[in-house]
Amino acid sequence: MSHNNPKFEIIPLDKLFLDDQNPRLPKSLQGAKEKDILEYMLLDASLIELMLAIGKNDFFPGEQLLVIQEKEGIYRVIEGNRRLSAVKLLNYPDLVSVQKSKIQQATTEAQYFPKEIPCLIFDAEENIHNYLGYRHITGIKEWKLLEKARYLFGLWKDQYSSLDLNAASRELAKSIGSRKDYVKRILIGYQIFYKIEDDAFYRIPGLDDTTFYFNYIADSLNKPHIANYLGLDVKNIDDIDEITINDEHLENWTRWLFEKNSEGRTRLIGDSFHLNALNKVLSHNEARAAFIEKGYSLDLAIDLTDEADSQFYNYLNSALSQLQNSDRLVVKVNVRHAIVSEQLKEIRSLAVKINRSLQEKEEDEDDI
């Protein structure tokens, strides 16, 4: 049996087992018991809806599970763990101790309880990887970014770790239909994540591998001044095992994005706008010191850079656009003047104030 010719076979349900090393599972569940994995899938993967669909329509034979035979009569499902979980719970609802009422509803409404499952049997797990790489990383069934990173890192470790990082990234990119620089960033980013995870997420309340947003790392590595702050020169890294990270700065970065204050807010938001602002602040000595050492907010720190002019224009244009939209709708709405009069006065007052401030500033400059 070869990679190109997996064997199709109908396999009894009781011979199929979940993949306890599935990249979609958080690290805390890698190697866990079936009950724990099923309960995680129930709470995190909308499994009830899938149970209802299979119970109503039966198991679709065109969506075979991709499996490997671990020993005689034992098959591990590499692709299709959600579908296997749904079928298991339709047939054996007592496998779990959560969402019992919803499971009972799904089993009560079900017309089908599949016990013979169509599968494609591969001779080795790695023979499924290229297919899964395209399907889940750039294809039609995308994973979350941390799941992609975990999968790619495992693939690099198993098949390409003998190559330098650039060459390995190039080969991985070809196998999944992506770009080399993107793959390289993901691999480096996973090393950073592993460091954060190894340090117990700096004991930040509520932060673990299920609540961590890996895209914050991937996006930050694409900002040269943030990457430099972390001690990384992404373009010139060629050996993943020799990556050196500024531990103190990495902890700062993590706390800025994930540690919440008494009002439930983080110091930074991890979207593109705020990461670009942070990148600008870290490139400017005065703004950087104000943000890191003096505790300035990002907005106040950015004011110390020439980015303030650009922000002022952006805010002004945005406000004008919103007011123009309101003007367009005013003839259609049923809003009483008394309800919005204070807001309109505040808008006028702010416009007059901004206008006056700019005029006074120009007059002061002329006097000088």
Side-chain angles (χ1 to χ4, degrees):
M1 183 165 33
S2 72
H3 169 48
N4 292 322
N5 295 288
K7 178 184 177 183
F8 176 81
E9 190 170 315
I10 302 295
I11 299 178
L13 178 61
D14 59 5
K15 293 184 178 182
L16 294 168
F17 292 86
L18 296 170
D19 181 14
D20 61 4
Q21 298 300 318
N22 188 331
R24 299 195 71 176
L25 294 174
K27 186 177 180 181
S28 56
L29 282 175
Q30 299 280 319
K33 296 179 180 178
E34 183 176 72
K35 175 181 182 293
D36 296 326
I37 295 174
L38 283 171
E39 290 186 349
Y40 171 78
M41 301 279 276
L42 265 171
L43 296 173
D44 190 63
S46 303
L47 207 60
I48 299 296
E49 288 83 355
L50 187 54
M51 290 176 64
L52 289 166
I54 293 175
K56 180 180 179 180
N57 302 299
D58 205 354
F59 194 99
F60 180 51
E63 285 280 346
Q64 303 99 340
L65 305 182
L66 307 187
V67 308
I68 58 171
Q69 183 172 1
E70 296 210 312
K71 55 185 177 181
E72 186 65 31
I74 300 294
Y75 298 88
R76 179 157 58 96
V77 175
I78 306 302
E79 162 69 0
N81 281 272
R82 288 185 69 246
R83 282 170 287 142
L84 177 62
S85 297
V87 173
K88 280 179 175 284
L89 290 173
L90 278 172
N91 285 280
Y92 309 111
D94 292 333
L95 285 173
V96 296
S97 57
V98 299
Q99 298 199 15
K100 300 292 285 185
S101 60
K102 292 182 179 180
I103 292 173
Q104 183 179 4
Q105 179 185 354
T107 56
T108 300
E109 295 180 10
Q111 302 173 39
Y112 298 95
F113 298 85
K115 292 183 174 63
E116 303 286 323
I117 311 300
C119 299
L120 288 177
I121 306 172
F122 288 76
D123 59 343
E125 181 176 347
E126 53 266 28
N127 289 344
I128 306 175
H129 280 169
N130 286 340
Y131 169 77
L132 284 182
Y134 175 79
R135 185 175 175 83
H136 286 303
I137 294 179
T138 56
I140 59 174
K141 297 182 72 173
E142 286 204 34
W143 284 342
K144 296 175 182 177
L145 191 52
L146 179 55
E147 296 162 357
K148 297 178 184 180
R150 188 180 284 123
Y151 173 83
L152 275 176
F153 194 84
L155 196 59
W156 165 79
K157 192 172 183 180
D158 291 341
Q159 299 187 24
Y160 300 108
S161 58
S162 61
L163 302 177
D164 66 65
L165 184 56
N166 284 308
S169 298
R170 187 178 301 109
E171 293 304 312
L172 279 169
K174 285 192 290 186
S175 71
I176 65 171
S178 187
R179 301 189 322 273
K180 184 196 82 170
D181 59 324
Y182 170 79
V183 170
K184 184 178 181 180
R185 256 193 300 132
I186 296 299
L187 293 175
I188 294 171
Y190 192 75
Q191 281 289 78
I192 297 172
F193 170 79
Y194 183 79
K195 168 66 178 170
I196 296 170
E197 184 179 51
D198 196 51
D199 285 333
F201 297 94
Y202 306 112
R203 311 288 179 186
I204 296 173
L207 185 61
D208 58 28
D209 56 348
T210 66
T211 56
F212 189 94
Y213 294 104
F214 186 84
N215 56 298
Y216 291 178
I217 291 179
D219 291 346
S220 291
L221 291 180
N222 210 26
K223 318 292 183 192
H225 299 293
I226 300 179
N228 181 262
Y229 177 74
L230 296 175
L232 299 167
D233 181 359
V234 175
K235 288 184 178 180
N236 290 321
I237 294 174
D238 205 26
D239 187 340
I240 204 165
D241 292 322
E242 294 183 3
I243 292 176
T244 57
I245 303 171
N246 187 311
D247 292 340
E248 179 185 352
H249 290 182
L250 180 60
E251 180 174 353
N252 288 342
W253 176 91
T254 307
R255 292 190 181 279
W256 294 340
L257 286 160
F258 293 100
E259 190 169 48
K260 296 179 179 178
N261 60 20
S262 59
E263 298 176 346
R265 297 178 179 177
T266 57
R267 192 173 181 201
L268 288 181
I269 299 172
D271 61 14
S272 179
F273 177 83
H274 290 90
L275 287 177
N276 280 331
L278 177 63
N279 190 60
K280 186 71 175 180
V281 164
L282 293 177
S283 73
H284 189 281
N285 290 336
E286 183 183 2
R288 173 175 168 147
F291 180 76
I292 297 172
E293 298 169 17
K294 298 179 182 179
Y296 279 35
S297 69
L298 186 63
D299 286 341
L300 289 176
I302 202 72
D303 287 346
L304 299 174
T305 73
D306 55 8
E307 188 71 13
D309 288 355
S310 176
Q311 279 195 319
F312 176 80
Y313 284 118
N314 288 338
Y315 289 147
L316 204 60
N317 288 329
S318 177
L320 178 60
S321 175
Q322 295 303 318
L323 286 171
Q324 288 171 337
N325 286 334
S326 296
D327 180 55
R328 178 174 53 83
L329 291 173
V330 70
V331 297
K332 302 178 182 179
V333 299
N334 295 314
V335 177
R336 304 290 296 177
H337 175 263
I339 296 176
V340 296
S341 62
E342 289 302 317
Q343 290 169 284
L344 294 172
K345 288 178 183 178
E346 181 67 16
I347 290 170
R348 183 178 186 280
S349 175
L350 284 172
V352 170
K353 180 182 176 184
I354 292 170
N355 185 63
R356 186 187 305 119
S357 296
L358 289 172
Q359 287 178 335
E360 290 175 352
K361 184 178 178 182
E362 290 178 1
E363 289 171 1
D364 290 342
E365 290 172 351
D366 289 342
D367 290 342
I368 293 174

